[in-house]
């Protein structure tokens, strides 16, 4: 079944009219996704112990959520983990993202597996680590991100 993208073809973040389809998903191309200006909503830590803050072998995990809002909204969220590497924290995407996006190629919906792959690639190109680290520092009195 061919489903047309519900976003204007002009690649201009300010001009987008994001409209969900009847199934609640927003259909756009990866090129359109790459120019949208997402805003940070929230980031948080998963449960960690006080000992983890002082360990060179600690692995911190958490989540982050981002939003692009126009007529409707696009949300993307994912889990992440921070690990100590060579005396510094390094942030990595963990698992698959969650979103109300259905990406399209050549006017057709991509498979669920391809959708996850494309979203993951887009997140890896997105500069989210510093904003996430700042949100964690601001949200928690003691934070593993204090040295990041």
């Amino acid at each position: 079944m061919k489903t047309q993208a519900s976003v204007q073809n002009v690649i201009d973040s300010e001009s987008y009219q994001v409209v969900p389809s009847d199934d609640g998903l927003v259909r756009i191309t990866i090129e359109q996704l790459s120019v949208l200006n997402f805003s940070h909503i929230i980031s948080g830590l998963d449960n960690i112990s006080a000992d983890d803050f002082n360990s060179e072998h600690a692995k911190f995990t958490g989540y982050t959520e981002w939003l692009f809002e126009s007529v409707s909204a696009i949300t993307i969220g994912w889990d992440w983990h921070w690990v100590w590497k060579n005396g510094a924290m390094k942030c990595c995407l963990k698992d698959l993202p969650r979103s109300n996006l259905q990406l399209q190629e050549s006017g057709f919906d991509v498979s669920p597996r391809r959708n996850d792959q494309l979203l993951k690639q887009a997140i890896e190109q997105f500069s989210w680590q510093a904003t996430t680290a700042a949100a964690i520092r601001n949200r928690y009195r003691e934070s593993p991100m204090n040295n990041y």
Side-chain angles (χ1 to χ4, degrees):
M1 177 170 116
K2 184 173 181 177
T3 307
Q4 292 295 327
S6 58
V7 176
Q8 294 175 347
N9 288 332
V10 177
I11 306 294
D12 175 11
S13 186
E14 301 301 318
S15 302
Y16 274 10
Q17 297 297 310
V18 176
V19 180
S21 300
D22 291 340
D23 60 4
L25 298 174
V26 176
R27 288 174 164 79
I28 62 175
T29 66
I30 193 69
E31 293 81 13
Q32 291 167 325
L33 174 62
S34 71
V35 299
L36 298 182
N37 295 319
F38 281 85
S39 300
H40 179 258
I41 299 172
I42 190 169
S43 291
L45 291 172
D46 295 334
N47 293 332
I48 58 174
S49 72
D51 293 335
D52 285 335
F53 282 101
N54 300 317
S55 171
E56 282 281 326
H57 303 290
K59 183 175 180 179
F60 303 99
T61 61
Y63 57 90
T64 189
E65 298 284 335
W66 295 74
L67 168 75
F68 173 80
E69 196 165 21
S70 177
V71 173
S72 188
I74 296 173
T75 60
I76 301 177
W78 58 92
D79 295 328
W80 48 261
H81 63 270
W82 292 81
V83 293
W84 283 103
K85 189 170 188 173
N86 300 327
M89 294 294 278
K90 178 169 172 43
C91 188
C92 302
L93 176 67
K94 179 181 136 185
D95 301 324
L96 297 174
R98 300 165 299 281
S99 182
N100 63 335
L101 279 174
Q102 173 59 60
L103 296 173
Q104 295 192 320
E105 293 177 326
S106 302
F108 292 92
D109 290 358
V110 298
S111 71
R113 183 180 205 163
R114 178 88 173 129
N115 199 67
D116 289 340
Q117 289 172 335
L118 290 171
L119 286 175
K120 194 171 180 179
Q121 288 171 3
I123 291 166
E124 289 170 350
Q125 300 299 314
F126 182 50
S127 297
W128 59 273
Q129 293 89 343
T131 301
T132 299
I136 297 300
R137 281 192 304 271
N138 291 334
R139 185 170 177 187
Y140 299 93
R141 191 167 49 102
E142 285 191 47
S143 169
M145 282 53 160
N146 285 337
N147 297 323
Y148 178 74

